[in-house]
């Protein structure tokens, strides 16, 4: 680092805010790439006695810098709050998981007991969740009360990983007699959709201590909303529900309304831009009227609510003395409806709680109402069709239990066709591998000519392509891989060097004169290799070759940063 850079960093650190157990580097735009770059930050951390909160927002931390900062944190057992939002600006997504793993491991080593973890505005995607998965399951998070993951691009996959980690953390902490008692959960703008929301709903139902849930802009439709509603019903301390900019429709709104009837502590309801429509609004109004005496804010803006339903909502708040804001802007009241709404609230001496109606869409005609009902029916039919497709494995994957196909004429159950090795290798899926039975590893090894390197590579790639973190599938993949590769590597005629060369070509990590199409995803083969290289049959001479190519920059590897990191870590330890 140049001397002028060190001077600049020192000046920036001189502005560091210290007080109340908090050390803050917030918004200093520090570019911490190497261990040398982070020296001054480390010094501040090491010299801070009784560190309870560390703010790193608005900086950019690389893998190497994260490692040395983590080392400094290993002695900070009193750390309770990690404000680590927006701290990977300009970083590759592949850099974030290993950085998070280093920091998380340090907190576990320190014996910290976190109260708040904020990783918002870090675009780490699904793989990034793997970076702090172990932390969430560890004793460091048994005391966690606030988890903030806004705008992280987790997606459905990340949502499922997060949900599983929360459930495991709750199970383990409960076994210690102190169950995880999460109070605040924030995960807006993460593309969780129905499946991610449903997975999290299951975790919420187990935890049962939530007070605030913020999940706006996640592409959740009524199946996901209904799952969340059911989970919220068994979180009696809920005060704030923010699901802004998702899609309830009537089904979701009615399910949520039923839940609201069971909750007594609700203060803020934000269902703005959620398409609850008129029937949904009436259902919510009924729930408000029956209870919710602590309600302070109700947002049903931009929900395609018509005049009569909006007036029903207004009448429902008559005795809500704590109410500070009612937002019905952007609906379909018309000029007369807006006036009637204001008159009703004036009659309750509550006119001041009504927000602006400047974006009212005007009253709809009867034809428009009929179209709305038709649109809603079509939307729900489409959602049901999509759900059915998922349940059928999208027409390609088969159920783990034999599916009964009902003939339209005689309704006689027809069992699924049997699966053999050739069928699995032609169209691999986790279900087919499991349906091969307990002898699947032996069968595949027996039917593969291990004197042919290309056949061994192709078979290995087919097996690894179905890898999943779920125990039965993971075990089946590992056992089948072991049987195949043990047979190959112990054969006197098998060429190990030719094998690794061919494998790297098929993975797209090595160029070939022949036109060979690379596998579409490297996740499965990377995770399988992580297992393979640890086995006694794997030639240790191949480890440096594999490490060299997996280390090189490659777009396909960047999209599987967690699996890549795991393999490199294992190879380094060999």
């Amino acid at each position: 680092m140049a001397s002028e850079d060190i001077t600049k960093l020192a000046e920036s650190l001189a502005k560091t805010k210290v007080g109340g157990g908090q050390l803050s580097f917030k918004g200093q735009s520090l570019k911490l790439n190497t261990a040398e770059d982070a020296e001054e930050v480390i010094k501040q951390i090491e010299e801070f006695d009784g560190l309870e909160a560390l703010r790193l927002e608005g900086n950019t931390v690389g893998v190497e810098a994260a490692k040395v900062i983590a080392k400094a944190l290993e002695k900070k057992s009193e750390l309770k709050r990690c404000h680590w939002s927006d701290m990977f600006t300009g970083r590759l997504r592949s850099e974030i998981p290993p950085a998070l793993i280093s920091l998380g491991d340090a907190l576990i080593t320190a014996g910290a007991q976190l109260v708040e973890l904020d990783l918002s505005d870090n675009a780490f995607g699904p793989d990034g969740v793997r970076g702090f998965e172990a932390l969430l399951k560890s004793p460091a998070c048994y005391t966690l009360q606030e988890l903030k993951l806004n705008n992280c691009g987790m997606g459905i996959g990340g949502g499922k990983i997060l949900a599983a980690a929360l459930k495991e953390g709750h199970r383990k902490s409960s076994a210690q007699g102190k169950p995880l008692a999460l109070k605040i959960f924030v995960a807006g703008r993460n593309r969780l959709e129905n499946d991610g929301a449903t997975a999290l709903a299951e975790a919420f139902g187990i935890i049962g201590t939530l007070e605030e849930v913020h999940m706006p802009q996640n592409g959740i439709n009524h199946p996901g909303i209904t799952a969340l509603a059911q989970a919220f019903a068994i979180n009696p301390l809920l005060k704030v529900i923010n699901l802004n900019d998702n899609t309830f429709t009537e089904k979701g709104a009615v399910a949520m309304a039923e839940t609201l009837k069971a909750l007594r502590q609700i203060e803020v309801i934000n269902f703005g831009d959620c398409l609850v429509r008129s029937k949904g609004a009436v259902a919510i109004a009924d729930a408000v009227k029956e209870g919710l005496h602590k309600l302070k804010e109700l947002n049903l803006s931009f929900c395609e609510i018509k005049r009569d339903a909006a007036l029903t909502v207004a009448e429902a708040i008559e005795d809500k003395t704590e109410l500070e804001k009612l937002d019905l802007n952007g609906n379909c009241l018309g000029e007369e409806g807006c006036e009637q709404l204001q008159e009703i609230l004036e009659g309750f001496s509550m006119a001041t709680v009504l927000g602006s109606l400047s974006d009212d869409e005007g009253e709809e005609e009867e034809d428009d109402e009929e179209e709305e009902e038709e649109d809603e029916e079509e939307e729900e039919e489409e959602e049901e069709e999509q759900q059915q497709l998922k349940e059928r494995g999208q027409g390609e994957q088969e159920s783990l239990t034999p599916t009964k196909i009902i003939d339209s004429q005689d309704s006689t159950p027809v069992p699924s066709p049997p699966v053999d090795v050739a069928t699995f290798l032609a169209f691999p899926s986790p279900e087919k591998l499991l349906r091969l039975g307990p002898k699947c590893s032996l069968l595949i090894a027996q039917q593969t000519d291990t004197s042919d390197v290309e056949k061994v590579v192709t078979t290995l790639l087919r097996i690894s392509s179905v890898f999943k973190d779920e125990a039965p599938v993971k075990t089946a993949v590992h056992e089948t891989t072991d049987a195949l590769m043990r047979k190959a590597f112990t054969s006197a005629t098998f060429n190990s060097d030719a094998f690794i060369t061919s494998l790297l070509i098929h993975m797209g990590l090595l160029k070939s004169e022949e036109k060979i199409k690379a596998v579409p995803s490297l996740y499965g083969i990377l995770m399988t290799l992580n297992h393979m290289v640890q086995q006694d049959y794997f030639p240790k001479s191949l480890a440096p070759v594999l490490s060299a190519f997996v280390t090189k920059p490659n777009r396909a590897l960047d999209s599987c940063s967690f699996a890549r990191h795991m393999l490199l870590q294992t190879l380094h330890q060999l």
Side-chain angles (χ1 to χ4, degrees):
M1 182 184 266
S3 59
E4 59 268 24
D5 292 334
I6 294 173
T7 303
K8 186 178 178 182
L9 178 59
E11 289 172 354
S12 180
L13 289 171
K15 301 173 185 175
T16 299
K17 294 177 182 177
V18 178
Q22 174 176 285
L23 178 60
S24 175
F25 302 98
K26 183 178 179 180
Q28 294 185 17
S29 301
L30 302 176
K31 295 180 180 179
L32 308 177
N33 299 315
T34 65
E36 187 182 3
D37 294 341
E39 282 178 358
E40 289 293 331
V41 174
I42 294 163
K43 183 182 177 184
Q44 294 269 3
I45 293 172
E46 289 177 342
E47 292 178 354
F48 196 112
D49 292 329
L51 181 63
E52 294 184 8
L54 178 62
R55 307 197 77 103
L56 292 172
E57 310 105 304
N59 298 292
T60 178
V61 182
V63 177
E64 292 306 314
K67 285 181 182 177
V68 291
I69 291 171
K71 196 70 180 173
L73 291 175
E74 287 180 358
K75 297 177 182 177
K76 301 298 176 182
S77 61
E78 296 177 30
L79 188 62
K80 292 180 175 62
R81 298 183 182 274
C82 297
H83 302 281
W84 294 350
S85 63
D86 189 24
M87 61 177 253
F88 297 110
T89 306
R91 299 287 167 189
L92 295 173
R93 266 177 56 171
S94 58
E95 293 181 85
I96 301 174
L100 288 173
I101 288 169
S102 296
L103 294 166
D105 287 349
L107 297 176
I108 296 169
T109 301
Q113 293 187 312
L114 295 186
V115 173
E116 179 178 1
L117 177 61
D118 187 356
L119 292 169
S120 299
D121 300 315
N122 291 310
F124 46 59
D127 284 346
V129 185
R130 294 286 191 194
F132 58 94
E133 178 186 21
L135 175 63
L136 288 178
K137 295 177 182 178
S138 77
C141 283
Y142 289 176
T143 50
L144 194 65
Q145 295 180 15
E146 301 179 31
L147 179 58
K148 300 173 182 177
L149 300 166
N150 202 55
N151 191 31
C152 292
M154 289 189 290
I156 294 170
K160 288 182 175 180
I161 296 166
L162 175 62
L166 288 172
K167 288 191 289 184
E168 180 67 5
H170 186 271
R171 185 189 68 79
K172 291 167 74 176
S173 59
S174 296
Q176 297 293 319
K178 295 181 179 179
L180 170 66
L182 193 66
K183 292 181 179 179
I184 298 174
F185 180 83
V186 181
R189 299 181 66 186
N190 270 293
R191 297 178 288 106
L192 294 169
E193 300 181 21
N194 288 335
D195 289 351
T198 301
L200 285 166
E202 187 177 337
F204 296 163
I206 292 169
I207 293 168
T209 56
L210 288 166
E211 295 181 12
E212 294 185 23
V213 176
H214 302 263
M215 295 174 66
Q217 290 184 299
N218 270 298
I220 307 169
N221 299 325
H222 77 79
I225 296 297
T226 300
L228 287 171
Q230 291 167 350
F232 293 165
I234 43 181
N235 280 265
L237 302 177
L238 263 175
K239 295 178 182 178
V240 178
I241 303 176
N242 175 8
L243 294 173
N244 190 284
D245 200 7
N246 288 291
T247 307
F248 282 42
T249 62
E250 183 186 343
K251 283 187 178 180
V254 169
M256 195 60 71
E258 285 303 307
T259 285
L260 291 174
K261 290 177 183 179
L263 299 174
R264 295 288 178 265
Q265 306 300 321
I266 288 291
E267 296 178 4
V268 177
I269 298 170
N270 186 345
F271 299 159
D273 205 9
C274 282
L275 208 65
V276 304
R277 292 188 171 137
S278 295
K279 290 179 181 177
V282 170
I284 291 168
D286 287 344
V288 171
K289 190 170 186 177
E290 286 184 23
L292 305 186
H293 295 292
K294 295 184 179 182
L295 189 64
K296 293 180 179 179
E297 182 178 333
L298 176 59
N299 184 347
L300 294 174
S301 60
F302 299 94
C303 281
E304 294 190 8
I305 300 169
K306 293 190 285 292
R307 180 181 63 180
D308 290 348
L311 298 181
T312 301
V313 172
E315 289 166 352
I317 67 167
E318 180 178 2
D319 61 346
K320 305 299 173 261
T321 55
E322 300 292 319
L323 195 70
E324 297 170 2
K325 184 178 180 181
L326 172 64
D327 193 345
L328 288 168
N329 198 18
N331 287 300
C332 310
L333 281 68
E335 187 176 342
E336 185 179 342
C338 289
E339 289 175 0
Q340 289 177 316
L341 181 64
Q342 288 167 331
E343 286 173 7
I344 288 172
L345 294 175
E346 284 171 1
F348 303 152
S349 299
M350 297 179 71
T352 56
V353 306
L354 183 63
S356 170
L357 297 172
S358 59
D359 293 317
D360 186 74
E361 295 287 341
E363 194 165 9
E364 290 186 351
E365 301 295 329
E366 284 186 14
D367 290 345
D368 293 332
E369 292 178 22
E370 290 174 8
E371 282 179 19
E372 175 192 299
E373 290 177 4
E374 288 172 6
D375 288 345
E376 184 157 344
E377 286 174 8
E378 286 174 11
E379 285 166 8
E380 290 176 357
E381 283 173 10
E382 284 175 13
E383 286 168 7
E384 285 169 10
E385 284 173 11
Q386 288 172 3
Q387 190 64 28
Q388 286 170 3
L389 282 173
K390 283 183 181 178
E391 289 169 2
R392 292 173 189 162
Q394 295 177 350
E396 188 65 40
Q397 295 184 347
E398 298 166 43
S399 173
L400 287 172
T401 53
T403 305
K404 290 184 178 180
I405 304 169
I406 307 299
D407 187 274
S408 58
Q409 293 185 357
D410 62 11
S411 70
T412 304
V414 180
S416 295
V419 175
D420 56 20
V421 171
T423 303
F424 166 72
L425 292 176
F427 302 101
S429 74
E431 292 75 21
K432 289 192 183 97
L433 181 62
L434 293 175
R435 283 173 54 202
L436 280 171
K439 293 184 178 180
C440 64
S441 57
L442 182 64
L443 291 170
I444 290 175
Q446 285 177 342
Q447 295 184 38
T448 303
D449 181 4
T450 52
S451 65
D452 187 333
V453 167
E454 282 300 309
K455 282 187 179 177
V456 173
V457 169
T458 302
T459 303
L460 174 62
L461 289 170
R462 295 288 174 87
I463 295 166
S464 64
S465 71
V466 306
F467 179 89
K468 280 186 176 182
D469 284 327
E470 297 167 8
V473 178
K474 186 177 181 179
T475 301
V477 169
H478 286 172
E479 289 177 352
T480 308
T481 298
D482 288 343
L484 172 68
M485 298 315 302
R486 189 180 297 279
K487 178 185 175 184
F489 283 126
T490 54
S491 169
T493 58
F494 188 70
N495 188 328
S496 298
D497 291 335
F499 165 77
I500 199 70
T501 300
S502 176
L503 180 61
L504 291 168
I505 290 170
H506 282 276
M507 290 173 69
L509 305 182
L510 182 64
K511 289 184 180 179
S512 170
E513 292 180 4
E514 299 176 23
K515 289 186 178 179
I516 295 176
K517 189 176 179 181
V519 292
S521 172
L522 294 180
Y523 180 77
I525 185 60
L526 289 172
M527 294 300 286
T528 303
L529 283 168
N530 185 52
H531 168 79
M532 266 179 60
V533 299
Q534 299 176 66
Q535 308 311 309
D536 56 5
Y537 60 74
F538 185 81
K540 301 307 178 203
S541 60
L542 298 183
V545 180
L546 189 57
S547 180
F549 280 93
V550 175
T551 304
K552 285 183 177 181
N554 184 289
R555 285 187 180 180
L557 288 169
D558 289 345
S559 64
C560 304
S561 54
F562 171 75
R564 180 192 205 178
H565 171 76
M566 292 289 290
L567 176 56
L568 287 174
Q569 195 174 46
T570 302
L571 288 168
H572 180 70
Q573 292 169 355
L574 291 177

